[in-house]
Amino acid sequence: MKDIQNAIEIRDLTKKYDGFTLDNISFDVPRGSIMGFIGQNGAGKTTTIRLMLNLIKKDSGSIKMLGLDNTENEREIKSMISAVFDELPFHEALNADQLSVIMSGLYKSWDKMTYLSYLERFALPRKKRFGEFSKGMKMKVQIAAALSHGAKLLIMDEATTGLDPVVRNEILDIFLEYLQDESNSIFLSSHITTDLEKIADSVTFIDKGRILLSGNKDEIVENHGMIKCTNSQYKEIAPEDVISARLTDFGAEVMVSGKEKIEKKYSGLTIDNTTLEEIMLFYVRRKTKEWL
Amino acid sequence: MKQLIYKDWILSRKTTIITMIYCSLIALTFLLIRISANCGNLSHDPMFYLSLKRNMYIMRYMPCAVFFLVLVDNGSIVKDYNCGWMRLCRTTGIKTEAIVASKLVYSLISISAAIVPVMIYTVSLCIADGSGITFGQLKNLCTIYFITLTAAFLDTFLSFLLKKAYLVQLVMLPAVGTAAGLMMMHLFNRINKLSAEPVADFDLLDLIRMEYAEPLSRMLPVIFIITAAVFAICFFASVKILKRREMP
């Protein structure tokens, strides 16, 4: 495992449903990093995660996790990873203490002391039923359980969705601590781009079952820019340089990539920095090109 | 696997304990009636006791009734699917065989727990009668026990297959409905006999007499083998279903 460069390697992964196809997606998650997997609802994030976890069967392609094929070495991989979902997968009648006993049967490397220390840190009651927990508490107990068996890879499916900013911040800090060990990696799917801007090293953007962008987060953000101009100035921009543009009566906001090249080409226009959220917003409308 | 059984115990212990209490209370009631018939007030009216005697045998069929109570709670598999627990188990390294085995073993434990009051009642009855428990009675009890176990294993398999609680209950509805109907008919018939002008006897359950169970109890070894075979088939079929099932 020491020689593994990528925690996750996906090649030409395809899954077809009626009305939706995950179409030949490929990307890598470098070891020791956090990858943010972003896309709007229905883009294919959860499908991709379920394929990675072998919860659904792929039609074609390959998935390697921690250097091992995810179907041939399924049990070995799953003993080294943790999955965190957007909803609590534990029965609501259970409490945290009972969960520890149960999880010790699911993972050979279950560490009760680590689990209890997380419970204490998150101020979670040990005897209270999960049904009485708030959404934030439920997510914290899931994360406490996920981090308590020495997992080398955390796969999180919209784990911060629906949480208040304080809890989200707390959880994101935990992730950064988890990554202090460089052999650990996190794959975090979310449509909350502000979280990913805070902690992600790389991002992969998926839309309608296709990968639109994948790479270093800072490079992606720096490579894109927003031109705010008048409608008449917008008409002077070549269509092939425009990812998409929001047109109003007051002017145009134009998303461009290859910022340096565009700056030289259109020296009269100012290109502002952009955010992941804006990149996502403008990329999903790339086929429409112009929108309100 | 024992931690999974522990989980099911935590989730269903109230129902299991209440079931045992109900069975114990019913057993105790019948035992008190028997003792009263031997040496209490009911002994003054032997005809009344004789009309009750046959329904004492109902206790020996109690595991079947208890199975239907357990059926309500064997929605544990369906609950596991619904809350995402089954999906979580699939993301861990635990073997599918362990998940399925824990459910079947738990069915065995809960049916066995429910039969304890029945055994205590039967033994007490025999002591109260002074007749002692006979090998034939033990064979009858074992026969009923294994038949109930077989039904419980099939219910577990159906839960893995169908996932939805209402589908499992729909499939088991004819058996549940028949048992419930027979029990209600028996109860009304008992009340009818106590009335001043009883109508004609209409109790089908009275037809289930111990002598009819005799041929069945002679086949006890075969019944045991069938139960073991059903366990094995349910186990392997459920493992295959769970391994192949997609968890969207």
Side-chain angles (χ1 to χ4, degrees):
Chain A
M1 226 188 92
K2 287 181 184 172
D3 302 329
I4 300 165
Q5 274 201 318
N6 295 318
I8 301 173
E9 286 178 8
I10 293 180
R11 295 284 177 271
D12 303 319
L13 185 62
T14 301
K15 174 72 179 175
K16 287 182 183 156
Y17 288 114
D18 287 336
F20 175 80
T21 300
L22 200 66
D23 192 10
N24 269 306
I25 64 167
S26 301
F27 60 88
D28 295 335
V29 178
R31 198 160 155 227
S33 71
I34 299 183
M35 168 166 281
F37 194 46
I38 55 173
Q40 54 180 342
N41 293 338
K45 302 188 297 295
T46 300
T47 302
T48 306
I49 285 173
R50 284 176 180 161
L51 285 165
M52 282 160 51
L53 294 170
N54 218 8
L55 296 176
I56 54 179
K57 300 279 180 247
K58 59 182 186 276
D59 292 333
S60 64
S62 74
I63 301 171
K64 275 191 179 173
M65 295 168 71
L66 302 171
L68 302 168
D69 185 271
N70 84 324
T71 42
E72 285 169 19
N73 306 102
E74 186 176 351
R75 280 191 66 216
E76 198 185 336
I77 290 171
K78 284 178 177 175
S79 64
M80 294 191 286
I81 68 170
S82 270
V84 178
F85 302 101
D86 55 342
E87 287 187 4
L88 190 74
F90 312 133
H91 293 275
E92 298 208 326
L94 296 174
N95 62 35
D97 273 353
Q98 290 161 348
L99 183 67
S100 178
V101 174
I102 296 163
M103 294 300 268
S104 67
L106 298 183
Y107 294 107
K108 284 181 190 164
S109 52
W110 178 256
D111 185 346
K112 186 181 174 183
M113 297 316 296
T114 304
Y115 175 69
L116 292 177
S117 70
Y118 276 116
L119 290 184
E120 203 179 317
R121 184 171 167 179
F122 291 142
L124 294 173
R126 287 167 59 172
K127 300 290 182 195
K128 199 173 180 184
R129 291 168 67 249
F130 292 146
E132 295 167 35
F133 275 22
S134 67
K135 191 171 166 64
M137 290 165 79
K138 285 177 181 175
M139 187 48 66
K140 284 181 190 175
V141 79
Q142 251 204 100
I143 289 170
L147 295 174
S148 299
H149 66 95
K152 290 294 165 196
L153 172 63
L154 281 190
I155 297 175
M156 328 215 37
D157 187 7
E158 310 246 8
T160 57
T161 304
L163 301 179
D164 66 64
V166 174
V167 172
R168 285 216 313 269
N169 222 46
E170 216 178 323
I171 288 170
L172 295 178
D173 287 341
I174 295 284
F175 292 164
L176 291 171
E177 268 179 40
Y178 174 72
L179 287 174
Q180 295 291 312
D181 181 345
E182 289 175 358
S183 62
N184 294 338
S185 314
I186 297 179
F187 182 81
L188 174 61
S189 107
S190 179
H191 53 260
I192 304 175
T193 51
T194 45
D195 289 348
L196 300 180
E197 272 173 347
K198 275 185 201 162
I199 61 167
D201 300 303
S202 55
V203 291
T204 295
F205 179 31
I206 185 169
D207 183 48
K208 291 191 177 75
R210 292 205 169 109
I211 301 293
L212 297 185
L213 293 169
S214 186
N216 182 277
K217 179 204 70 181
D218 292 332
E219 284 174 13
I220 287 175
V221 173
E222 280 166 20
N223 190 46
H224 288 77
M226 185 78 79
I227 299 174
K228 290 177 185 170
C229 59
T230 62
N231 287 331
S232 56
Q233 284 172 319
Y234 165 68
K235 282 174 189 162
E236 290 165 17
I237 304 173
E240 60 269 19
D241 292 332
V242 173
I243 291 167
S244 70
R246 178 159 53 191
L247 305 177
T248 66
D249 291 337
F250 308 103
E253 289 177 329
V254 187
M255 175 66 66
V256 296
S257 69
K259 203 164 145 190
E260 270 186 40
K261 188 187 73 178
I262 300 293
E263 272 173 343
K264 287 175 187 164
K265 191 172 174 183
Y266 304 98
S267 50
L269 298 173
T270 309
I271 305 178
D272 295 331
N273 292 331
T274 185
T275 62
L276 276 179
E277 184 175 339
E278 285 175 338
I279 293 171
M280 186 169 115
L281 263 173
F282 281 77
Y283 260 89
V284 297
R285 289 175 167 87
R286 68 200 180 285
K287 287 193 177 162
T288 321
K289 214 69 170 180
E290 293 171 5
W291 52 283
L292 292 171
Chain B
M1 189 175 91
K2 60 182 181 202
Q3 289 84 1
L4 295 177
I5 295 173
Y6 169 73
K7 174 187 81 65
D8 285 331
W9 165 247
I10 294 286
L11 295 173
S12 64
R13 58 187 168 185
K14 283 180 189 167
T15 312
T16 307
I17 289 170
I18 288 169
T19 305
M20 281 186 70
I21 291 171
Y22 278 147
C23 289
S24 303
L25 286 173
I26 293 170
L28 184 63
T29 305
F30 276 98
L31 188 60
L32 289 173
I33 291 172
R34 189 57 173 262
I35 292 171
S36 176
N38 278 355
C39 50
N41 289 338
L42 282 181
S43 64
H44 302 306
D45 187 354
M47 289 310 295
F48 176 74
Y49 169 66
L50 278 173
S51 76
L52 281 177
K53 191 173 179 182
R54 269 182 298 185
N55 72 8
M56 300 293 186
Y57 295 124
I58 300 303
M59 280 303 301
R60 298 174 193 188
Y61 301 94
M62 183 65 74
C64 298
V66 162
F67 159 73
F68 297 122
L69 289 169
V70 169
L71 176 70
V72 171
D73 190 61
N74 205 31
S76 69
I77 296 169
V78 175
K79 285 179 201 165
D80 283 354
Y81 275 122
N82 289 344
C83 81
W85 175 260
M86 212 63 92
R87 187 181 58 186
L88 175 75
C89 284
R90 283 273 297 271
T91 68
T92 68
I94 191 163
K95 286 185 181 177
T96 312
E97 287 81 355
I99 298 171
V100 173
S102 70
K103 293 295 184 190
L104 288 168
V105 168
Y106 191 73
S107 286
L108 178 77
I109 291 171
S110 49
I111 295 284
S112 303
I115 208 173
V116 165
V118 178
M119 293 295 289
I120 293 171
Y121 164 76
T122 306
V123 171
S124 308
L125 193 67
C126 296
I127 293 169
D129 265 352
S131 59
I133 190 155
T134 66
F135 184 62
Q137 286 168 332
L138 277 177
K139 273 182 20 181
N140 290 337
L141 274 169
C142 289
T143 305
I144 302 300
Y145 174 62
F146 286 126
I147 292 172
T148 310
L149 262 185
T150 307
F153 295 150
L154 284 170
D155 171 62
T156 302
F157 164 68
L158 279 175
S159 299
F160 274 117
L161 178 68
L162 299 173
K163 273 174 67 175
K164 307 279 182 204
Y166 72 89
L167 285 175
V168 178
Q169 284 157 9
L170 205 62
V171 170
M172 301 301 286
L173 194 60
V176 175
T178 305
L182 284 173
M183 298 254 170
M184 289 303 294
M185 196 187 298
H186 178 74
L187 183 66
F188 286 135
N189 197 48
R190 287 292 140 220
I191 295 169
N192 168 53
K193 283 199 169 161
L194 291 172
S195 68
E197 293 176 7
V199 300
D201 199 329
F202 55 84
D203 191 354
L204 290 176
L205 211 53
D206 263 350
L207 296 176
I208 304 173
R209 303 191 186 181
M210 290 314 296
E211 48 267 36
Y212 296 154
E214 273 301 310
L216 206 59
S217 67
R218 266 184 255 128
M219 289 169 23
L220 184 59
V222 174
I223 292 171
F224 172 74
I225 290 168
I226 292 171
T227 302
V230 167
F231 177 91
I233 293 167
C234 289
F235 173 75
F236 289 112
S238 301
V239 165
K240 205 161 188 178
I241 287 166
L242 201 54
K243 278 185 176 173
R244 287 186 177 181
R245 172 154 281 152
E246 294 201 338
M247 301 276 178

